[in-house]
């Protein structure tokens, strides 16, 4: 299947590891020029170097914090200066800590809103004018299964991710006329460092071992296993591709069937 993505410019936020990194790599495999960012310079540069070498494509890697609107502005400007456009933008950030409601602080809420909602706003407002010029664009937000089904003790994610879905639907409505498709991808339990952190805190809270926690997550999905970050990345690339040209405003879960609703 030809994705039609060769030479497109793909920005992937928070992409030094985990789902973001797998997504940057999946776009590289389609022949895109890729722009990556994350806070840690060393991890980011080594991820970018590996992708450059393996796929023989151009990669721009800029260390930044996605909660800094000025840094996001400068990053998108640098992408357009280097590659001439910003065709695809995948928003992403680290997830909020696992906490029950009464354990959360106001600082936790502000951080979750900054990282997991406002960062998507910052990227969208920078890339949309460039996409409008080309009358083609794809914005894909990475959120969580919590957009459809709240997870116990992930109240920060359960609440803040819902705002992203509202943003996605609004942008899809407003910019469809410009050829810009906006969708949201919600991973289920996926084998990354983030999940190891979650397992640790669930283990501390429940007294169960981390192995038991991982086993219960796998058992909860009809596919009886965790997701691989590449499986989330494949769905994102497909949504960005010409093969998904009539899909916008949607939340697609990539969760091995874990979501229990219809
Ligand atoms: P991860 O912790 O493995 O990787 C997160 C990446 O984001 C890293 O590259 C990190 O450097 C970068 N990052 C974090 N905060 C940043 C910031 N402020 N600015 C710039 N870069 C930043 O996480 P992951 O598992 O790949 O998850 C990605 C997203 O998907 C998170 O929001 C997470 O909550 C969500 N999610 C993950 C799972 C899962 O099971 N792994 C499930 C549902 C949702």
């Amino acid at each position: 299947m030809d994705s039609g993505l060769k030479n497109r410019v793909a920005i992937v936020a928070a992409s030094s590891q985990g789902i973001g990194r797998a997504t940057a790599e999946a776009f590289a495999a389609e022949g895109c020029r890729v722009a990556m960012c994350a806070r840690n310079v060393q991890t980011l540069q080594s991820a970018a170097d590996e992708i450059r070498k393996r796929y023989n494509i151009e990669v721009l890697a800029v260390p930044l914090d996605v909660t800094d609107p000025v840094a996001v502005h400068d990053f998108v400007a640098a992408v357009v200066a280097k590659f001439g456009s910003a065709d695809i933008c995948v928003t992403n950030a680290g997830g909020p800590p696992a906490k029950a409601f009464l354990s959360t602080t106001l600082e936790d809420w502000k951080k979750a809103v900054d990282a997991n909602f406002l960062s998507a706003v910052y990227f969208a407002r920078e890339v949309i004018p460039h996409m409008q010029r080309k009358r083609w664009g794809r914005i894909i937000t990475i959120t969580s299964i919590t957009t459809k089904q709240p997870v116990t003790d992930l109240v920060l994610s359960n609440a803040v991710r819902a705002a992203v879905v509202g943003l996605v639907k609004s942008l899809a409505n407003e910019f469809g006329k410009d050829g810009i498709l906006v969708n949201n991808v919600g991973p289920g339990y996926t084998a990354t460092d983030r999940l190891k952190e979650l397992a640790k805190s669930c283990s501390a809270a429940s007294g169960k071992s981390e192995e038991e926690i991982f086993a219960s997550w796998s058992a909860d999905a009809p596919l009886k296993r965790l997701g691989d970050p590449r499986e989330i990345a494949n769905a994102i690339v497909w949504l960005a591709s010409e093969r998904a040209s009539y899909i916008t405003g949607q939340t697609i879960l990539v969760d091995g069937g874990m979501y229990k609703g219809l």
Side-chain angles (χ1 to χ4, degrees), residues 16 38-45 63-64:
S16 64
R39 287 169 305 185
N40 185 300
V41 190
Q42 272 176 343
T43 341
L44 176 68
Q45 290 303 347
L64 62 83

Side-chain angles (χ1 to χ4, degrees), residues 50-134:
E50 274 181 47
I51 291 175
R52 231 180 249 122
K53 264 190 223 134
R54 189 168 306 156
Y55 299 97
N56 195 27
I57 51 130
E58 287 182 275
V59 179
L60 175 69
V62 176
L64 62 83
D65 190 321
V66 296
T67 64
D68 176 350
V70 176
V72 172
H73 167 86
D74 292 349
F75 175 48
V76 174
V79 173
V80 175
K82 182 173 172 67
F83 294 135
S85 62
D87 303 317
I88 299 158
C89 179
V90 179
T91 71
N92 186 31
K99 289 191 175 188
F101 179 64
L102 291 179
S103 308
T104 58
T105 63
L106 274 186
E107 200 49 35
D108 290 330
W109 284 100
K110 285 178 182 161
K111 278 189 182 161
V113 169
D114 281 350
N116 301 114
F117 173 63
L118 283 176
S119 67
V121 173
Y122 300 153
F123 273 97
R125 67 181 187 165
E126 296 302 334
V127 296
I128 284 172
H130 298 293
M131 294 174 174
Q132 282 178 309
R133 259 195 295 119
K134 279 186 86 173

